[in-house]
Amino acid sequence: MKMHEKILIIDFGSQYTQLIARRIRELNVLSEIYSYDKIPKINNSYSAVILSGSPFSVLDKNSPIVDLEKIRGKVPLLAICYGAQLIAKISGGDVLPSKIREYGRANLSFVDSQCKLFSKVSKNSQVWMSHGDTISKIPNSFQIIASTNNVDIAAYKINDEQTYGLQFHPEVYHSKEGKKILQNFLINICNFSQDWTPNSFVEEKVLEIKKTVKEDKVILGLSGGVDSSVAAMLLHKAIGDNLYCIFIDNGLLRKNEYEQVLSQYKDMGLNVIGVDAKEDFYNALNGISEPEVKRKIIGSVFINIFEKEAENIRDVNWLAQGTIYPDVIESVSATGGPSSTIKSHHNVGGLPKHMKLKIIEPLNTLFKDEVRRIGKSIGISSKLLDRHPFPGPGLGIRIIGAITKRKVEILQEADEIFISALRKESLYDKVWQAGAIFLPVQSVGVMGDERTYENTIVLRAVESTDGMTADWFHLPHNFLASVSNDIINKVHGVNRVVYDISSKPPATIEWE
């Protein structure tokens, strides 16, 4: 396998660490993230290092630290926010609590145009600040290379070494020329050749799978979504007929999805086994309302069924999953660092300890947009690749509260009307993810001359690039009025439809 130039990202627990990795991969450079307390040896393995931000303050007694002597001066180093403050403080500078916590947009008022890091960056470029401390003084061996009206030391460079500090976050979308700054660091300073591409990923991942799995057989759960589809084709390229794809009808799929998925994958040449397990899931979920418990039950039943099916296939040792990076990030700290858990995912937090099959997850370091690029490079149709993300637990986390077969039927009908309307009005491809949610709320209504007391459906549509952040999509009012009317008239049991206009953060895309 080809040895790529790599950059090491040291994670201090910032919510943006994975975005740093994503931006770097967009520039065709291979990046790896490690927690600050699990740093591998630099040696010749890494050509550069980035220090992330952190929810901690460098002034805290137990704030995370690293041995900078093993890094500084040996490879180019870019320190962001907390990382920049840490270097300044350890080197003899001063870091003080900000009089006003600086969070949000700011504009550079000064840029050292001679500095390689800011080559062709506008002197008034917009950047994104998110810090409660400020670097008030830097050592004499440091020089200021950027300022804002409120922050004198918005960026610095250490003399006689390729070490740079940024108080702002170049990885965040709101830093308008942040990608350019990262590119300057990677190309102008680190001299990366930008050889990590979708094609190289596929080639190397196929070799890795062959080396890992060898002659063993693998079973993979298909959902009809992008992630499991790309995972299946990667595995198929690596091990061919030793891949057994299983599609489980958990009773929580979209309307008619079970039949559509089976035929779709058989057309792709995959060996697919269909399993009707609706009643197994309904029975296990009976009376369960707490969302985390529902997720874990769905994951547990899912694995148990897979183990049962595996008994019918000789020599199966592996369970493949389409887990992607945001799943891992939101379920646990991606590198074992200090970031907080948001929620568990059925294919991350729901795996029982007694499970007999070993796990292989070929996509667990990729974001959704990267998965789509990989899929395109191996010839998967755009119709499948452009399909909206759909949660692994399916409608189980779009039915708030306890799940019943009748609630599933109501939600399936409402969801079908919504998604079909988006396609009909050429809005589907403009939305990143959409779906309907069933609320445990009944409200009074009037239909004809009769009083009703029926259920409420929420419509959700967002725009995003990777699912880490999202904004609600501004669907036309006449479209929403038409969909609402259709759902109320055609779905028995619904008399009220509302539209969710929350962004992520502070909300999440799914309701549970």
Side-chain angles (χ1 to χ4, degrees):
M1 293 177 64
K2 180 179 179 179
M3 293 298 293
H4 291 279
E5 299 165 314
K6 294 186 296 186
I7 187 167
L8 170 65
I9 302 172
I10 297 177
D11 179 23
F12 292 110
S14 170
Q15 62 178 316
Y16 300 135
T17 300
Q18 290 76 24
L19 290 181
I20 301 173
R22 180 173 172 269
R23 296 289 182 255
I24 290 172
R25 290 198 290 261
E26 287 175 353
L27 293 164
N28 297 330
V29 173
L30 179 59
S31 60
E32 294 182 354
I33 302 174
Y34 283 86
S35 174
Y36 73 95
D37 57 350
K38 297 180 178 67
I39 303 173
K41 292 182 179 179
I42 304 297
N43 295 335
N44 297 321
S45 300
Y46 299 96
S47 301
V49 172
I50 289 180
L51 304 184
S52 81
S54 177
F56 293 91
S57 165
V58 296
L59 303 177
D60 293 342
K61 182 179 180 180
N62 296 318
S63 60
I65 59 174
V66 293
D67 185 357
L68 294 173
E69 293 300 319
K70 295 181 179 180
I71 304 172
R72 276 185 52 184
K74 294 177 174 58
V75 293
L77 172 62
L78 177 64
I80 297 173
C81 197
Y82 176 92
Q85 295 172 357
L86 180 64
I87 291 177
K89 182 175 182 293
I90 290 176
S91 302
D94 292 332
V95 178
L96 300 174
S98 303
K99 293 181 179 179
I100 300 176
R101 186 175 185 273
E102 294 163 315
Y103 182 86
R105 297 172 179 83
N107 290 91
L108 298 179
S109 57
F110 160 73
V111 169
D112 183 351
S113 59
Q114 300 302 310
C115 178
K116 290 182 179 180
L117 190 65
F118 288 103
S119 175
K120 298 181 180 179
V121 173
S122 306
K123 69 177 182 179
N124 62 344
S125 184
Q126 177 180 294
V127 296
W128 184 262
M129 295 285 189
S130 179
H131 59 98
D133 298 329
T134 298
I135 303 171
S136 59
K137 179 183 177 183
I138 53 176
N140 293 332
S141 58
F142 288 39
Q143 58 177 304
I144 297 173
I145 55 175
S147 304
T148 70
N149 289 331
N150 295 321
V151 179
D152 291 334
I153 308 170
Y156 63 74
K157 180 186 181 301
I158 300 180
N159 298 331
D160 301 322
E161 63 181 84
Q162 298 288 12
T163 298
Y164 302 82
L166 300 176
Q167 182 61 81
F168 58 89
H169 289 269
E171 71 275 19
V172 175
Y173 170 79
H174 299 295
S175 290
K176 295 299 184 182
E177 295 182 89
K179 189 173 181 179
K180 178 64 178 175
I181 294 170
L182 290 174
Q183 183 177 20
N184 285 338
F185 179 69
L186 297 172
I187 311 308
N188 296 348
I189 296 168
C190 303
N191 299 313
F192 279 110
S193 57
Q194 297 179 281
D195 63 350
W196 193 74
T197 64
N199 286 339
S200 69
F201 176 87
V202 171
E203 179 182 340
E204 292 157 27
K205 184 58 67 172
V206 167
L207 289 174
E208 179 186 316
I209 293 169
K210 287 180 178 179
K211 183 178 179 180
T212 302
V213 175
K214 299 177 182 177
E215 300 300 319
D216 289 349
K217 293 178 181 178
V218 179
I219 55 174
L220 166 69
L222 290 173
S223 67
V226 175
D227 306 333
S228 65
S229 302
V230 175
M233 292 307 293
L234 276 174
L235 286 157
H236 184 66
K237 286 175 70 70
I239 62 175
D241 293 339
N242 276 345
L243 173 65
Y244 291 78
C245 298
I246 299 175
F247 180 60
I248 295 177
D249 185 357
N250 60 8
L252 303 170
L253 304 173
R254 282 176 160 154
K255 186 178 179 181
N256 300 324
E257 191 169 24
Y258 181 59
E259 297 77 13
Q260 293 170 359
V261 167
L262 282 178
S263 61
Q264 182 179 37
Y265 284 111
K266 287 177 180 178
D267 289 343
M268 292 171 64
L270 297 174
N271 177 23
V272 186
I273 302 167
V275 181
D276 183 350
K278 292 191 290 290
E279 295 305 319
D280 293 298
F281 283 88
Y282 289 155
N283 290 337
L285 291 165
N286 184 37
I288 303 298
S289 299
E290 209 283 321
E292 282 297 287
V293 177
K294 286 197 294 186
R295 285 177 179 273
K296 292 185 183 297
I297 287 174
I298 292 169
S300 179
V301 175
F302 171 83
I303 294 300
N304 290 338
I305 292 171
F306 261 78
E307 289 187 317
K308 185 177 179 180
E309 290 297 320
E311 293 175 359
N312 299 322
I313 306 171
R314 187 177 178 183
D315 299 326
V316 172
N317 292 316
W318 297 89
L319 169 65
Q321 297 193 119
T323 307
I324 63 172
Y325 220 166
D327 297 338
V328 177
I329 296 163
E330 290 191 338
S331 295
V332 293
S333 172
T335 58
S339 56
S340 61
T341 297
I342 298 171
K343 59 186 176 184
S344 67
H345 287 258
H346 84 291
N347 52 353
V348 179
L351 302 179
K353 294 180 180 179
H354 69 271
M355 192 187 69
K356 301 173 185 176
L357 301 176
K358 292 180 285 187
I359 298 295
I360 184 168
E361 297 172 318
L363 308 177
N364 65 358
T365 60
L366 300 179
F367 289 91
K368 179 70 73 174
D369 56 328
E370 294 175 317
V371 174
R372 287 195 169 100
R373 289 201 296 272
I374 298 300
K376 183 178 180 180
S377 74
I378 58 179
I380 297 177
S381 70
S382 59
K383 182 178 180 181
L384 194 154
L385 290 177
D386 294 338
R387 185 177 178 182
H388 289 176
F390 188 63
L395 302 181
I397 58 169
R398 291 184 179 177
I399 296 174
I400 311 304
I403 296 169
T404 67
K405 186 176 181 180
R406 178 57 186 149
K407 289 179 182 178
V408 172
E409 291 171 347
I410 290 173
L411 186 55
Q412 285 176 330
E413 293 293 334
D415 183 82
E416 172 71 10
I417 291 171
F418 183 31
I419 298 301
S420 296
L422 287 171
R423 293 187 185 277
K424 181 180 178 181
E425 298 300 323
S426 300
L427 291 166
Y428 185 86
D429 291 336
K430 297 178 181 178
V431 172
W432 193 78
Q433 184 172 344
I437 296 96
F438 184 101
L439 290 189
V441 174
Q442 291 185 315
S443 64
V444 67
V446 177
M447 290 187 178
D449 294 327
E450 296 183 2
R451 178 182 181 274
T452 63
Y453 196 64
E454 295 180 335
N455 300 291
T456 301
I457 292 292
V458 178
L459 303 181
R460 179 76 155 141
V462 300
E463 53 186 346
S464 181
T465 56
D466 52 30
M468 297 297 294
T469 60
D471 198 4
W472 64 278
F473 191 86
H474 292 245
L475 290 170
H477 288 182
N478 59 346
F479 171 84
L480 289 171
S482 175
V483 171
S484 173
N485 189 63
D486 280 351
I487 291 174
I488 291 171
N489 286 334
K490 296 177 180 178
V491 183
H492 182 69
V494 176
N495 69 355
R496 192 175 299 272
V497 175
V498 298
Y499 188 52
D500 182 350
I501 59 170
S502 308
S503 296
K504 176 185 179 180
T508 54
I509 295 175
E510 299 294 343
W511 276 47
E512 289 192 337

